[in-house]
Every structure is written in C-alpha cells, then in structure tokens.
Amino acid sequence: MSLNCDIVMDLVALYHDGEASKTSEAAVKEHLKGCKSCREFYRQYGVATPASQSFNFMSNGNYSELAKHMRVRRLWTVVAVLGYVSASLCALIMLLMRIREE
Ligand SMILES: [Zn+2]
C-alpha cells in the first residue's frame, strides 16, 4: 500500500506520537523509506514538535485538548517504561538461568 505525500504529512503527527493505527504506521514507515522529502519533513517534525505543538494548543485556548494530549503522552511513557523494565527483567532472568546451567 503506498500513500501520496500529502496524506503522509497528515499522518506523520500521529505516527510521531505513536497514535497511528498499525496499518497507517506501516504505510507511513514504508513511504518514508522511499521518499526523501517526507523523510526530511518527518525529521523536522520530530525536532519542532514539543514546543510548537503545545504552543498551538495554548494559543487556541484549547486546554482540554492539551490535557488529553498530555494524558495520552503519559500513558505511552508508562507503557514504554513498563515494556523496557519487563524486557530487562526477562533478559536478566535468562542470563541467570544460563549461568546456573553451566
Ligand atoms: Zn512522500
């Protein structure tokens, strides 16, 4: 499935925040691989986002939108940390078992 550049640029925001669906994510990833200008856009987006996005929410006076965004962000952080911790634990346990076997 290939997307055109306009659609990809719309999806990049969701993709960047990890909020895109699996299908969109795969399609964006695929497109970024083959499209230099979108790759550049994505790179710039990643750099520019944190400040400019919250500024946009603020200037619209859209606090609930910002709060929602922060909540989603926090949720993803928790998920990422939990994933990281359990992965490390698994690796540690496997290592210990291997040492014990020898
Ligand atoms: Zn493109």
Side-chain angles (χ1 to χ4, degrees):
M1 180 172 151
S2 82
L3 300 171
N4 75 38
C5 295
D6 287 337
I7 298 176
V8 169
M9 285 178 189
D10 285 342
L11 285 174
V12 153
L14 293 173
Y15 174 72
H16 179 267
D17 289 351
E19 288 160 30
S21 69
K22 282 271 169 287
T23 316
S24 311
E25 199 184 297
V28 170
K29 212 179 271 181
E30 189 62 36
H31 183 94
L32 288 179
K33 245 187 266 172
C35 180
K36 196 163 181 273
S37 64
C38 286
R39 218 160 42 228
E40 188 61 22
F41 177 80
Y42 177 64
R43 207 175 57 80
Q44 302 260 324
Y45 183 88
V47 176
T49 307
S52 67
Q53 209 170 48
S54 35
F55 176 75
N56 273 343
F57 286 140
M58 289 299 193
S59 61
N60 291 340
N62 205 344
Y63 291 107
S64 68
E65 193 67 24
L66 177 64
K68 188 177 150 217
H69 185 80
M70 303 281 272
R71 216 158 37 230
V72 172
R73 213 9 81 102
R74 203 174 312 142
L75 189 70
W76 278 112
T77 309
V78 170
V79 169
V81 169
L82 280 179
Y84 180 76
V85 168
S86 55
S88 316
L89 272 178
C90 277
L92 195 68
I93 289 168
M94 280 164 74
L95 195 71
L96 284 175
M97 281 168 73
R98 184 169 292 185
I99 290 171
R100 211 163 274 185
E101 272 169 24
E102 280 169 3

